[in-house]
Amino acid sequence: MSYVPPHKRPSNEPVRPSPVPESVSRKFTRNLNLDGGRNDQDRKVIVARDWISKWLFVGSDGTEDEISPSVKLVPVSSDSYEWRAGRKPLMLVNNDAGDKDEKIGATEGRTPWLSVAEKAVGDIFMAFELAKNGKGHGSLVEVKPRLVARFGKVLLHGHPSLSLESLKDGLVAESTLRESKKSFYTNVSSSYMENIRDTALLKLGCSIKESDVYFVFLSAETRPYSFISCKCTVKEDRRLTLRRVEVDALRNGVVDVSCLDQNIDLRLMVYSKRIPTALTENEISDIRKLVDSAVVDPNVKGGLRWPLGEASSGGRYSVSHVWHLTNTVYRSSTFRLKVREADRFDFRVGTGEAAREVILVLKGISQKLEGDDEVERSSVSDMLKDALKMIWDHFLSADPYLM
């Protein structure tokens, strides 16, 4: 029986949480906090030392220095975004976007992507240099930096001035917005996913590959906030086969772009895939033991469970969280587009999430920047402008974003 993610199951099919390993359950009980916490979307991210972070907002004319009075802050829908402590995240909405046909006519000939490229290319260069110099990596891993584009919504939260009382008019000082904590919500609507599949890709044209993979994340007893990720596929006997082992992906730089005249926001991110090169035979044996003992079960969140007592390896590793990803991958010579449905479960806190996500790997730019040869910024800038124009044409002009 093939796996069916939670958001595609019939309503009468039971969805039971995965059993929490005993050691994790005790830790969860000790650390339970009913007054606040993070949404799963804001799970801990490992960032490089001196990592780069920038936020831009862009209208039809390009990046803007001031937010237009027509742009308001509104809380996200309570039906589609979970939060704790009762505080809703907020997003920017342009109330004066106008009729779609009028908007197209007004923006014809204008190039907001050129402005974004000019402001982002320097940060992308610096982030790749940061990755290649190995800051924060250590000497026991192979580093593979990548530039990707993510699609969703920039959310603002955490600043005292961003209360619902102060938002009656939707106006907040720009300085307050810039000081606010931000996250990027990547769970997109089904209509957006269908638009990407049926429209954009028909115009772009590329080869297609489908895959069904599981990621098992292991935490080390000596490093509870550092993870080893195990990419796995399923054998005919419904057991996992270990395909690849990595350590924490390291975020080197992020440029978030609030697209005020579009329904979708953009994140440009440089991150480093890190492959360990010095695992001992005992470490590899313990990792394989945990992967081999996993049971594929479509009725639990994350799609995997472990028999009682087999979710840890006797003091070295324990299962932290799992992902089940159903991917459709589209490839061309310059990019790789991944449209995926994700089913995740976190054993540490006993919660899960299902999400639809779109990831565009800017393969051509990544290959140019990760090499050892000197690269002219102008050539990378031209490639980035072309990539952003394609993104504006095919990834941001979509159905309204549903929160």
Side-chain angles (χ1 to χ4, degrees):
M1 176 180 176
S2 61
Y3 176 82
V4 180
H7 48 286
K8 285 192 172 182
R9 296 174 187 162
S11 59
N12 60 351
E13 180 178 341
V15 179
R16 304 186 300 274
S18 301
V20 180
E22 184 179 356
S23 60
V24 178
S25 178
R26 289 197 300 268
K27 187 182 298 184
F28 170 61
T29 302
R30 291 197 303 269
N31 296 335
L32 185 63
N33 179 3
L34 298 178
D35 296 326
R38 281 196 319 272
N39 180 268
D40 285 346
Q41 188 68 22
D42 298 322
R43 63 175 63 83
K44 183 176 177 62
V45 175
I46 309 299
V47 299
R49 194 181 311 123
D50 300 325
W51 77 297
I52 298 162
S53 178
K54 177 177 284 186
W55 177 46
L56 307 174
F57 44 94
V58 58
S60 58
D61 289 324
T63 54
E64 300 180 1
D65 296 323
E66 296 181 358
I67 296 180
S68 166
S70 65
V71 176
K72 311 294 184 183
L73 271 173
V74 299
V76 302
S77 166
S78 60
D79 295 332
S80 58
Y81 192 92
E82 297 177 0
W83 70 94
R84 297 181 183 179
R87 180 175 294 177
K88 297 180 181 181
L90 304 163
M91 59 182 178
L92 293 171
V93 173
N94 190 355
N95 290 339
D96 194 28
D99 180 80
K100 186 174 182 181
D101 293 334
E102 294 178 4
K103 182 173 141 187
I104 292 173
T107 60
E108 185 177 358
R110 296 175 180 174
T111 51
W113 55 87
L114 293 180
S115 179
V116 172
E118 290 165 0
K119 293 207 172 188
V121 67
D123 297 303
I124 292 171
F125 250 93
M126 291 176 61
F128 264 87
E129 287 302 311
L130 177 65
K132 291 194 293 184
N133 290 339
K135 292 182 179 181
H137 291 300
S139 60
L140 303 179
V141 294
E142 177 186 356
V143 178
K144 295 184 176 181
R146 295 287 183 269
L147 172 63
V148 301
R150 304 294 303 270
F151 305 94
K153 270 296 181 183
V154 175
L155 301 183
L156 300 95
H157 39 133
H159 195 284
S161 298
L162 296 183
S163 64
L164 292 178
E165 290 76 12
S166 67
L167 295 172
K168 287 185 294 184
D169 298 325
L171 298 175
V172 177
E174 182 187 330
S175 58
T176 298
L177 296 179
R178 293 199 178 276
E179 293 170 4
S180 302
K181 179 183 175 183
K182 301 172 188 68
S183 62
F184 197 80
Y185 189 64
T186 57
N187 189 6
V188 299
S189 67
S190 58
S191 61
Y192 177 79
M193 293 268 287
E194 291 306 311
N195 181 80
I196 293 299
R197 285 193 173 107
D198 298 340
T199 305
L201 294 171
L202 289 176
K203 296 179 181 178
L204 298 174
C206 32
S207 61
I208 300 175
K209 178 183 178 181
E210 295 184 352
S211 64
D212 192 67
V213 297
Y214 291 85
F215 280 87
V216 178
F217 293 85
L218 307 178
S219 61
E221 292 294 329
T222 56
R223 294 169 300 174
Y225 298 107
S226 181
F227 302 104
I228 289 176
S229 68
C230 307
K231 181 180 180 180
C232 308
T233 54
V234 180
K235 298 183 288 188
E236 290 183 0
D237 62 359
R238 306 301 296 160
R239 294 288 179 172
L240 296 184
T241 296
L242 180 62
R243 296 298 184 186
R244 187 176 69 234
V245 175
E246 297 179 4
V247 292
D248 309 301
L250 197 69
R251 184 172 294 178
N252 304 106
V254 165
V255 178
D256 283 334
V257 184
S258 290
C259 304
L260 303 181
D261 292 331
Q262 303 286 350
N263 297 310
I264 301 289
D265 292 336
L266 169 66
R267 163 169 283 188
L268 296 172
M269 180 171 67
V270 177
Y271 76 99
S272 298
K273 298 179 68 172
R274 304 191 297 164
I275 302 173
T277 58
L279 290 174
T280 67
E281 290 186 7
N282 286 338
E283 287 174 325
I284 294 173
S285 176
D286 284 347
I287 290 170
R288 288 192 178 278
K289 180 181 177 182
L290 286 171
V291 169
D292 291 342
S293 60
V295 178
V296 177
D297 187 343
N299 293 320
V300 299
K301 294 179 180 179
L304 296 176
R305 60 179 174 82
W306 275 259
L308 186 63
E310 296 187 26
S312 63
S313 61
R316 178 174 278 129
Y317 301 116
S318 60
V319 178
S320 170
H321 48 293
V322 296
W323 295 0
H324 177 212
L325 305 178
T326 305
N327 298 312
T328 305
V329 181
Y330 306 83
R331 302 175 185 270
S332 76
S333 60
T334 55
F335 72 89
R336 183 171 70 251
L337 177 65
K338 190 177 295 184
V339 179
R340 73 186 186 190
E341 292 180 344
D343 180 16
R344 300 183 174 101
F345 186 76
D346 191 329
F347 287 98
R348 297 163 297 176
V349 294
T351 60
E353 64 172 359
R356 305 178 189 90
E357 298 170 339
V358 176
I359 303 168
L360 182 68
V361 182
L362 303 179
K363 189 170 62 173
I365 299 175
S366 298
Q367 290 172 343
K368 197 172 187 67
L369 284 173
E370 69 179 329
D372 295 328
D373 298 333
E374 288 289 330
V375 179
E376 291 186 5
R377 180 173 298 193
S378 60
S379 65
V380 174
S381 179
D382 290 341
M383 294 176 68
L384 183 60
K385 289 173 184 176
D386 290 340
L388 287 174
K389 182 181 186 305
M390 184 264 292
I391 287 171
W392 246 262
D393 288 344
H394 300 293
F395 290 85
L396 303 184
S397 299
D399 292 338
Y401 191 85
L402 303 178
M403 293 291 293

